[in-house]
């Protein structure tokens, strides 16, 4: 949920901190959003991190991809 309109980026990184893909990179109005990511078949199983930047807010979380 985005409380105020701002530029939003959502990026996916591998364990080495290398950017794998940018999922969202746009200005969004306040409101609720969801992003469905269909994993590229070349992406290997493993641990990845995603970082969300929206206005002054930044959060990084870990995810595990199992194929």
């Amino acid at each position: 949920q985005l409380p105020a309109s701002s530029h939003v980026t959502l990026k996916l990184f591998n364990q080495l901190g290398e950017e794998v893909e940018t999922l969202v990179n746009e200005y969004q109005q306040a409101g609720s959003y969801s992003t469905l990511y269909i994993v590229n078949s070349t992406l290997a199983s493993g641990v990845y991190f995603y970082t969300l930047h929206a206005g002054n807010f930044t959060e990084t979380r870990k995810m595990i991809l199992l194929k």
Side-chain angles (χ1 to χ4, degrees), residues 20-39:
V20 175
E21 189 165 349
T22 298
L23 305 174
V24 176
N25 186 17
E26 62 187 19
Y27 186 84
Q28 295 183 339
Q29 300 296 324
S32 296
Y33 295 88
S34 64
T35 298
L36 175 63
Y37 179 64
I38 299 173
V39 177

Side-chain angles (χ1 to χ4, degrees), residues 36-59:
L36 175 63
Y37 179 64
I38 299 173
V39 177
N40 184 336
S41 62
T42 62
L43 203 55
S45 295
V47 176
Y48 293 88
F49 297 89
Y50 59 93
T51 300
L52 174 67
H53 294 280
N56 294 328
F57 176 81
T58 300
E59 185 169 61

